[in-house]
């Protein structure tokens, strides 16, 4: 079930850049907050939130900035040429979500991911601001089978070293208006908060450059201490109080001051009492039940005079303090005649606003109620899965992006690191018929690493293999998927000069990814 709600943005810190990226002709030293590179723009930040059964929260965040020499417009239009799903029918479909780009929007997805989209974030291919409806196309890649079926390369080459990217969550996000691609404006950013499996801190952020046909390193994870976390939360609460003001249930109905009762003005904290701060000229009138109140108290010099909310939600408790002396009285917020009419107008305006807002929310709930009922069973299963996921530990990883396309939370790994490796000529036959099978590409999977090791036909004469492999997945020339599992791999002799892989029957192409994963026991 997808939901849409308003959102508030919190600016997060930046991180230092490593020398590994500077070597790729990217001028990191000149980049500062708000810097715009000629010919293109790149602005990203990363954050992660830990979730667990204890309900404690830890935040880790990082950021990196660098000049991107190819324009983001070219990226979106050329990605299909570089990303080639081996079985088009099993390619991961994009979710299509329609938004109004004229207002701030947060999309909540079934996977637990949220997408924050500020108003007026997009521009057309010719650089003109986009207004009105925009279609967001989004999909996620969670595991080894997703990586294979998507056709997205998961290898990373640096200084001649060939490595695999172990992913803790990868996604693609695109946007369209009237069927034409749109792009993020220069001064705007989208925030993707992705619920991920691995709580480790070794995962960095990479962006798939489909023009250069390579992954571009973005930034490392950097820890932030609890003091800074509390400060960010405080800033968020201040922002909410300032602009959201008060709940409709807390609205104070203006009262005329009673000329026969004592009243006075108090310099109170407007952030603590926003329901009072919306009015000018608020006075506090001592309740008629307070028989012990002495008018002289208001003229005395006190160390402190404070107010607090009364249990009846109508009065306030006014407390006078001097040394050990404390005197408290119930008082009613009132207005002199000259301020009363203005206060009533402000009250009616707020009351109408909250009524309209409540009606909008109620209408939205009513419209969705039928859909909720229809998908009750599906939602129940999803919630159960989500709750189990949280109980067993999870992490939210957040990226603030300035480009649409494919992003990945990755750790660079050497697939065969520490393993005894065999090299041989590989041949592929059907286990059932013994006939040769024309294979286009092979993927090696180790269930302990959320990565795949691809082997193309040009490497079949020098095929690399080790006993750590749990499943061998092969894509045939006619776009079928076959495999060999661990139990059969254990029976093979990899010390020979030529090794024959006896492949199982191709998986049913009419089935979905869930079927494929179940067959491979993912």
């Amino acid at each position: 079930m997808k939901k849409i709600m308003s959102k508030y943005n919190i600016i997060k810190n930046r991180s230092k850049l490593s020398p590994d990226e500077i070597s790729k002709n990217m001028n990191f030293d000149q980049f500062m907050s708000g810097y715009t590179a000629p010919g293109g723009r790149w602005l990203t930040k990363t954050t992660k939130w830990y979730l667990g059964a204890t309900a404690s929260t830890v935040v880790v965040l990082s950021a990196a900035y660098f000049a991107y020499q190819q324009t983001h417009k070219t990226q979106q239009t050329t990605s299909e040429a570089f990303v080639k799903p081996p079985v088009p029918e099993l390619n991961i479909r994009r979710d299509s979500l329609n938004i109004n780009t004229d207002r701030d929007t947060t999309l909540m997805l079934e996977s637990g991911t949220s997408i924050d989209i500020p108003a007026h974030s997009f521009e057309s291919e010719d650089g003109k601001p986009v207004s009105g409806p925009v279609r967001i196309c989004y999909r996620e890649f969670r595991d080894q089978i997703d990586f294979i079926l998507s056709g997205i390369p998961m290898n990373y080459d640096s200084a001649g070293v060939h490595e695999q990217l172990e992913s803790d969550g990868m996604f693609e996000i695109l946007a369209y208006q009237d069927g034409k691609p749109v792009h993020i404006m220069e001064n705007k950013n989208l925030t993707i908060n992705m619920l991920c499996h691995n709580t480790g801190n070794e995962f960095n952020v990479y962006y798939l450059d489909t023009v250069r046909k390579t992954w571009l390193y973005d930034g490392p994870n950097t820890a932030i201490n609890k003091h800074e976390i509390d400060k960010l939360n405080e800033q968020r609460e201040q922002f909410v109080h300032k602009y959201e003001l008060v709940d409709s249930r807390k609205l104070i109905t203006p009262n005329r001051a009673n000329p026969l009762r004592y009243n006075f003005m108090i310099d109170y904290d407007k952030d603590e009492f926003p329901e009072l701060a919306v009015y000018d000229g608020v006075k506090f009138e001592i309740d008629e039940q307070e028989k012990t109140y002495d008018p002289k108290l208001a003229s005395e010099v006190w160390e402190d005079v404070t107010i607090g909310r009364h249990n009846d939600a109508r009065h306030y408790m006014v407390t006078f303090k001097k040394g050990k002396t404390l005197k408290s009285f119930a008082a009613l917020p009132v207005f002199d005649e000259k301020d009363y009419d203005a206060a009533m107008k402000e009250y009616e305006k707020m009351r109408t606003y909250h009524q309209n807002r409540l009606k909008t929310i109620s209408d939205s709930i009513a419209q969705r109620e039928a859909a909720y009922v229809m998908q009750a069973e599906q939602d129940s299963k999803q919630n159960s899965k989500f709750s189990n996921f949280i109980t067993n530990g999870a992490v939210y990883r957040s990226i603030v992006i300035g480009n649409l396309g494919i992003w990945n939370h990755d750790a660079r790994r050497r697939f065969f690191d520490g393993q005894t490796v065999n090299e041989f000529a590989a041949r592929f036959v059907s286990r059932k018929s013994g006939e040769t099978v024309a294979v286009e590409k092979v993927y090696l999977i180790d269930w302990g690493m959320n990565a795949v090791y691809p082997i193309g036909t040009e490497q079949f004469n020098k095929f690399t293999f080790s006993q750590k492999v749990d499943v061998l997945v092969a894509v045939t020339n006619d776009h079928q998927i076959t495999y060999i599992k661990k139990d059969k791999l254990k029976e093979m002799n990899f010390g020979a000069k030529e090794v024959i892989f006896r492949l199982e029957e191709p998986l049913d192409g009419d089935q979905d990814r869930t079927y494929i994963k179940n067959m491979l026991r993912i």
Side-chain angles (χ1 to χ4, degrees):
M1 183 61 62
K2 303 172 181 64
K3 304 177 183 178
I4 300 178
M5 61 180 73
S6 61
K7 63 95 181 173
Y8 300 98
N9 206 11
I10 299 175
I11 304 299
K12 303 178 179 68
N13 71 331
R14 299 180 298 158
S15 302
K16 291 180 64 177
L17 301 163
S18 73
D20 188 34
E21 292 68 52
I22 300 176
S23 64
K24 294 185 177 295
N25 299 318
M26 300 176 186
N27 194 344
F28 292 89
D29 296 330
Q30 293 181 6
F31 231 98
M32 299 182 298
S33 178
Y35 173 82
T36 301
R41 186 223 0 169
W42 196 286
L43 175 60
T44 61
K45 305 172 192 173
T46 62
T47 309
K48 69 178 182 180
W49 292 271
Y50 285 96
L51 304 176
T54 61
S56 61
T57 303
V58 179
V59 177
V60 180
L61 55 104
S62 71
Y65 302 79
F66 57 95
Y68 179 44
Q69 304 303 314
Q70 299 288 345
T71 67
H72 58 278
K73 298 177 182 179
T74 306
Q75 290 280 352
Q76 191 164 335
T77 56
T78 59
S79 63
E80 294 301 327
F82 178 48
V83 178
K84 298 179 180 179
V87 185
E89 297 80 7
L90 293 174
N91 190 17
I92 298 173
R93 291 178 295 179
R94 299 179 178 95
D95 285 331
S96 184
L97 308 125
N98 295 317
I99 68 166
N100 182 354
T101 192
D102 295 328
R103 60 170 177 254
D104 291 354
T105 301
T106 292
L107 300 172
M108 297 296 297
L109 309 181
E110 289 182 359
S111 64
T113 295
S114 68
I115 306 173
D116 294 340
I117 306 173
H120 311 296
S121 288
F122 299 104
E123 64 182 11
S124 62
E125 291 191 287
D126 56 3
K128 295 180 180 179
V130 169
S131 181
V134 164
R135 181 166 56 92
I136 303 297
C137 294
Y138 180 85
R139 56 179 178 164
E140 294 180 347
F141 314 91
R142 293 284 186 173
D143 52 51
Q144 296 94 330
I145 304 306
D146 286 350
F147 307 152
I148 293 172
L149 297 179
S150 71
I152 297 173
M154 295 294 288
N155 51 291
Y156 186 86
D157 295 313
S158 176
V161 178
H162 181 74
E163 296 174 305
Q164 278 61 55
L165 292 176
E166 180 179 10
S167 177
D168 192 30
M170 178 168 60
F171 65 86
E172 177 193 58
I173 182 167
L174 305 172
Y176 300 87
Q177 186 175 69
D178 298 329
K180 298 179 180 179
V182 297
H183 311 281
I184 302 176
M185 297 184 69
E186 290 289 336
N187 61 340
K188 295 289 184 177
N189 299 284
L190 275 56
T191 303
I192 288 81
N193 304 305
M194 191 175 189
L195 190 61
C196 298
H197 296 261
N198 196 316
T199 58
N201 193 36
E202 68 271 26
F203 293 90
N204 300 319
V205 177
Y206 293 81
Y207 178 77
L208 185 60
D209 185 336
T210 56
V211 176
R212 299 179 185 178
K213 299 185 178 181
T214 188
W215 287 98
L216 298 179
Y217 170 89
D218 175 41
N221 284 309
T222 303
I224 179 171
N225 62 41
K226 188 177 185 302
H227 173 74
E228 291 170 307
I229 297 169
D230 292 341
K231 187 175 180 181
L232 288 176
N233 287 329
E234 182 182 349
Q235 291 174 353
R236 179 187 59 192
E237 293 303 320
Q238 290 174 351
F239 187 90
V240 171
H241 277 300
K242 181 176 180 181
Y243 292 101
E244 192 65 10
L245 200 57
V246 292
D247 188 284
S248 59
R249 294 167 295 181
K250 296 180 182 178
L251 290 178
I252 298 298
T253 305
N255 296 280
R256 281 189 173 90
N258 186 338
L260 301 179
R261 304 298 308 163
Y262 299 107
N263 65 58
F264 42 82
M265 300 186 74
I266 297 176
D267 185 16
Y268 59 88
D269 186 341
K270 293 185 177 181
D271 287 332
E272 186 177 356
F273 301 97
E275 70 275 18
L276 298 174
V278 297
Y279 301 114
D280 293 325
V282 179
K283 292 186 175 182
F284 293 88
E285 182 179 280
I286 298 298
D287 187 77
E288 61 182 356
Q289 300 298 322
E290 297 288 1
K291 305 299 184 181
T292 62
Y293 176 75
D294 186 345
K296 294 180 181 179
L297 292 175
S299 59
E300 288 187 29
V301 178
W302 297 87
E303 293 177 1
D304 195 12
V305 180
T306 61
I307 65 170
R309 294 184 179 88
H310 195 282
N311 292 335
D312 66 6
R314 184 167 177 262
H315 289 81
Y316 289 77
M317 293 302 297
V318 179
T319 300
F320 300 87
K321 179 182 179 181
K322 181 190 294 183
K324 296 183 179 181
T325 301
L326 291 175
K327 295 182 179 294
S328 296
F329 305 93
L332 184 71
V334 297
F335 299 86
D336 289 339
E337 197 64 40
K338 64 182 178 62
D339 297 319
Y340 177 77
D341 289 341
M344 282 303 299
K345 289 180 180 179
E346 189 67 28
Y347 170 77
E348 286 298 327
K349 183 171 66 175
M350 289 190 297
R351 187 179 65 82
T352 301
Y353 162 76
H354 284 294
Q355 282 183 338
N356 291 339
R357 185 179 178 196
L358 180 60
K359 184 179 184 302
T360 299
I361 295 172
S362 299
D363 289 346
S364 177
I365 292 173
Q367 291 171 4
R368 296 178 183 178
E369 191 173 24
Y372 285 157
V373 173
M374 290 175 61
Q375 296 190 15
E377 183 177 353
Q378 178 180 343
D379 288 349
S380 177
K381 292 179 180 179
Q382 181 68 29
N383 291 336
S384 175
K385 178 181 178 182
F386 183 84
S387 298
N388 182 62
F389 186 43
I390 296 300
T391 301
N392 288 285
V395 58
Y396 266 110
R397 299 187 186 274
S398 178
I399 312 179
V400 180
I401 65 172
N403 274 349
L404 299 175
I406 298 173
W407 294 83
N408 205 348
H409 300 279
D410 286 306
R412 288 159 52 180
R413 309 290 193 198
R414 295 187 183 183
F415 190 83
F416 297 112
D417 194 29
Q419 299 290 318
T420 300
V421 177
N422 300 101
E423 288 187 352
F424 46 80
R427 197 156 62 85
F428 303 91
V429 301
S430 166
R431 178 177 297 278
K432 183 177 181 180
S433 68
E435 296 180 356
T436 297
V437 177
V439 172
E440 181 180 272
K441 200 161 192 175
V442 168
Y443 298 90
L444 305 182
I445 295 176
D446 168 12
W447 294 135
M449 179 188 298
N450 199 30
V452 295
Y453 187 85
I455 302 177
T457 54
E458 70 280 1
Q459 299 168 290
F460 286 179
N461 285 329
K462 197 174 182 180
F463 200 94
T464 305
F465 196 85
S466 83
Q467 293 296 330
K468 74 174 292 184
V469 175
D470 290 313
V471 180
L472 179 148
V473 177
V475 179
T476 66
N477 287 4
D478 56 353
H479 306 293
Q480 296 189 83
I481 293 180
T482 182
Y483 61 94
I484 307 177
K485 291 185 180 180
K486 185 77 170 182
D487 56 340
K488 300 299 182 183
L489 292 173
K490 284 183 176 180
E491 298 173 357
M492 298 176 60
N493 176 21
F494 295 106
K497 292 184 178 180
E498 181 182 77
V499 173
I500 299 175
F501 288 95
R502 303 185 186 281
L503 303 172
E504 304 293 345
E505 290 298 290
L507 295 172
D508 187 350
D510 293 331
Q511 299 291 334
D512 58 14
R513 285 183 298 121
T514 301
Y515 165 79
I516 303 292
K517 293 178 181 182
N518 288 338
M519 289 299 295
L520 298 177
R521 294 183 182 177
I522 192 168

